[in-house]
Amino acid sequence: MLKSSYFYGGSAIAVALALGAASPALAQQGSGATVVEEVVVTGSFIAGTPEDAALPVDVLGAQELEKQGAPSVVQLVKTISASQSAIGESNRYNGGAGTATINLRGFGSSRTLVLMNGRRMVDSTQASFQGGGQDLNFIPTAATGRIEILKDGAAATYGSDAVGGVVNFITRKDLDGFEVDGEYTYIDGSDGDYSLDLAWGSIFERGNVLLTAGYRHRSRLDINDRDWARTRMDAVYYGGWSGSGNPGYYGTPGGTTFFRDNGCLELGGQLTAGVTPTTNTATGSVCRFQFSAFNDLVNEEDHYQLYGEVNFDVTDTVTFHGEVAWNRNDVPNQRLSPANLTTQFPTPISAGGTSGSTAVPGFNGQVPFFVPANNPGLIDLRTTCAAPLTPGQCALMAGGVTMNKSFWRAIAHAGHPTNPDGADYQDIQSNAFRISGGFKGEFENGIGWDAALTYMESEATVVTNDLLVNNIQNALRGLGGPGCNPATGTPGVGPCQFFNPFTNSIAVSAVNGATNPYYRGDANPAVLNNPALVEWLYGTYTNVGTNKMLVADLVFNGETGIALGGGNIAWAAGAQYRYNRSIDDWENLGDVRATPCVDSIDDGLPVCSDPVGPFVFFGAQEDYDVDRDVEALFAEVLLPITDDLEVTGAIRYENFGGNIGSTTNPKISARWQAMDWLAFRASAGSTFRAPSQVVIAPGSSKGVSNIGGSYRAVVTNNNPDLEPETAKTFNFGVLLDFGAFRGSIDYFKFDFEDELTLEPSQAIYNSLDCSNPAIVARFVFDGACSANNVIVLNRYNVNGPDTKTSGLDFKAQYDFDNFFGRDFMDTRVSVGAEGTYLLEYERSDFTLLGAETVVIQEAQDRVGRHELTGEFYSYPRLRANGFINVDGGAWNLRYQIQYREGTEIIGDPCPASGASAACRYDYATSTFVNVGKSEDYWQHDLNLRVDLPSNTVITASVQNVLDEDPPFVQSMYNYDYTNGNPLGRTFKIGVKQTF
């Protein structure tokens, strides 16, 4: 048993990457296995290492995946039970769209190493928005022959980043002819998803050639097409709601808030007193705005792939392998909120500002936006004075008004002026290119060698809009518009136009389609906003991020001639050189050096104490260009103690240079065939992960995060003092084989120290203590120190808390020679299940950098918990899959089931105030109650494959047969996008023709 390996070779699949519809880890165990001698399995460089050796490796074959209906790449991410908290389905705000990553053990996708044909891939720049890692969309689907998943730490073999495990995509070598493979999936509310893959291969006497091309389209799914995705704010606390809306709060130039504009409920907002629902129109209530109404549950995406490979026997002992791959992901018109809340404000004229605000200065030398008394919208609002505004409030407007910094945004229910759906758009395009080649041979003395060189480059371009601070303020003064010179123009005359921020300019809500009873445009056209003027308020910035990688590998292997009871001692040794370079280029308005301050768009001069750019929400960034060289040496030895006992030892040395230094990581593993039907395996080792050059270089970046139920500006600071993180890993498994029954259970354990992570923004916010200078220094306030006045939060890249996680992987399968013991149409049945049961996921206290006595987050056990608004993780205690497969020879029918145990939000229970995402409002008792644990999620699928004459294969699938909605959890879209399925019942048909 030790010297053979089972896997499925063979035919291509329509979206081979898509592994996971119901039980990807079981694919290796289906019927029709072929015995293949000396397959090199991921996790070892020793030739002949079998799949059922000491390491927990699952091998997924293309033919079996066809039987599963060839599910999508995102389903791979979600359905492998050992993968936790993987994101790829939903619209990720301002980044990450169009990519898919895998996250073994839930450590973050940057801790799962993805290989292609055993060689490294470069990190995707877009995947950095999802925690880092490599983009699975790059893998050529039509070329994929099998996938190997190592669910164990592998730093001793592959080096840094192989912390949680390794996923190795291996291309096929079997195609001799031409294949066309097309699929279409019907999705209610969407135009559907479709793909086309072409493959041509030729097998000749001394090798083979493979060429493939692929195209895949995902159609957008509007959030409004799923009734569970939009709910009242008080029912979910968050759910895509913000306290910064329009209608907003306004006050006197002195800053006192005294009225809220009309139309909140009528336009589709929700009034809350604090977070308690109310219809009270008093100024103590806040108008909440649901910005997610303008989002999509699924983005429109286009994916393009090209791949070529050649394998050739140069001599009888030397072979050549070369491959070239190219990929492009397009996410056009990713839908966003029409405008963002404000985190930056005009510079006062007295301080050299150019936009003309005369409001009293506030924090950081900045002031609120100011609406002067001659603004036509304000004049109409004041003179009409429609209830619930009072005459006293209207009288105070005569001198002009300021915007409340926390509870206002320039555009909300009005929608974007020039886009028919009212949303704003951003475009994301990523391109990646990879070339790899090398020679493999054997010396006359029997020692094998493998030398290869790999180069890969990934580039992503993101084009995003945001409102410009000075353009807003100038337009409020009547000096807005592309043809107006604020220094010489006359307010409201000629090309100089007024922007009216009040709801009396809105005829119909872009959120709920309702007619606005406070609309005054018909009676007073002066209150209307020219769409071209509103368009002029926006500025566009482009970010181009590029990652480059060059890897040289050299490996030797052989046998020593020293014989033990089970055979000769085998060994492998080698070296690796890696060069990585990361480039980030922010163009024009997004470059903080070119446009450091809000006034820089007018005169190019910096007039601010905190240069973060000209936008109201997004901060301008600084370009960087950093690189790193890594040298590694490694060795491995296999000791066949007896015919039934093997022990393998591995060690790797890596040198990162600079402040990081070097590391040495050992690993030992063993497998004992105790009986014909019983085997044991175990492994123990250490792993290592170095901080990237980007986060240890001086500098910072400004973004946003959901904090306290609202998006707020967050400055993320780099940390040159970061140290590497380390982890100790352990695995112990039992393997059973009773002929028709096969099963295994593995206990795994990972202990991390000095975890590389970010200080959690919500935890810092929750720890705000105005008497503690170390905490206060992390914030910028709108006025006095208080949680409600927080405008900007500072956090750092840090070596965080220690983490301990452990659990059980299990799988079992029984293969009948017939139909459950009976003869029925010459069919054979297989029944199986697999899953992962988490025992612990414990993190120690998280302390504040620079003030280690300040605990910002107490120790947590994340098993069965989620947090999907700031940190984006979800850890069901049990994730399991099962199937019943009926094989009729020329046809195959499979029933699959997925199970995900429910989770509850981490943190404190629901307070009486309701100010927690753990709360929902109970209208029967007029109190807030704890949401508690979400419902368990079950999904049932049916997949049919039929082999027709003339080499035609038809596949048909019904996913989510019972049309189950995903259970509610606290997130932007009210479901767990790392585990749930937002698509509902889908129907897929596929046709593959081989010529």
Side-chain angles (χ1 to χ4, degrees), residues 864-865 875-878 899-904 933-937:
R865 304 295 184 90
Y875 298 107
R877 184 177 294 275
L878 175 61
Y899 171 77
R900 302 295 180 261
E901 186 175 349
T903 57
E904 60 181 317
K933 184 179 179 180
S934 65
E935 296 178 359
D936 297 346
Y937 179 66

Side-chain angles (χ1 to χ4, degrees), residues 472-642:
I472 294 175
Q473 183 57 68
N474 280 325
L476 291 172
R477 298 171 58 216
L479 296 170
C484 178
N485 185 339
T488 60
T490 301
V493 177
C496 297
Q497 305 171 60
F498 278 99
F499 171 62
N500 175 14
F502 305 106
T503 57
N504 54 19
S505 67
I506 303 173
V508 177
S509 170
V511 170
N512 61 5
T515 299
N516 178 19
Y518 299 98
Y519 174 62
R520 293 278 299 159
D522 292 337
N524 182 8
V527 304
L528 297 178
N529 286 315
N530 183 342
L533 167 70
V534 182
E535 181 74 22
W536 173 82
L537 299 179
Y538 291 86
T540 299
Y541 68 83
T542 300
N543 172 233
V544 181
T546 307
N547 285 342
K548 301 180 180 182
M549 178 196 72
L550 176 67
V551 181
D553 291 294
L554 179 63
V555 180
F556 300 94
N557 61 68
E559 295 185 354
T560 64
I562 302 174
L564 300 179
N568 289 336
I569 296 175
W571 60 273
Q576 183 183 80
Y577 167 78
R578 301 198 304 271
Y579 171 77
N580 292 92
R581 182 182 178 188
S582 296
I583 306 168
D584 210 32
D585 181 21
W586 296 85
E587 297 182 3
N588 301 323
L589 297 176
D591 186 343
V592 74
R593 292 174 299 178
T595 316
C597 304
V598 297
D599 303 274
S600 301
I601 64 170
D602 294 333
D603 56 16
L605 300 176
V607 184
C608 58
S609 58
D610 181 20
V612 286
F615 298 112
V616 298
F617 188 53
F618 294 119
Q621 314 292 348
E622 187 170 354
D623 296 348
Y624 62 74
D625 187 343
V626 296
D627 58 15
R628 168 184 285 165
D629 297 279
V630 181
E631 300 91 20
L633 298 172
F634 51 88
E636 187 177 355
V637 61
L638 170 65
L639 305 175
I641 308 299
T642 69

Side-chain angles (χ1 to χ4, degrees), residues 195-266:
S195 65
L196 177 66
D197 287 295
L198 308 175
W200 175 81
S202 177
I203 300 174
F204 46 91
E205 182 178 357
R206 299 186 67 86
N208 77 289
V209 174
L210 177 66
L211 300 174
T212 70
Y215 169 72
R216 179 167 59 92
H217 176 82
R218 299 190 76 193
S219 297
R220 60 176 289 258
L221 178 63
D222 194 316
I223 190 173
N224 297 292
D225 288 321
R226 296 294 183 267
D227 56 6
W228 46 263
R230 288 187 61 195
T231 59
R232 291 178 58 89
M233 188 269 177
D234 52 78
V236 298
Y237 183 72
Y238 179 54
W241 291 87
S242 172
S244 299
N246 188 315
Y249 264 114
Y250 300 86
T252 66
T256 304
T257 299
F258 71 93
F259 79 93
R260 183 187 59 253
D261 193 10
N262 291 327
C264 179
L265 297 174
E266 293 83 356

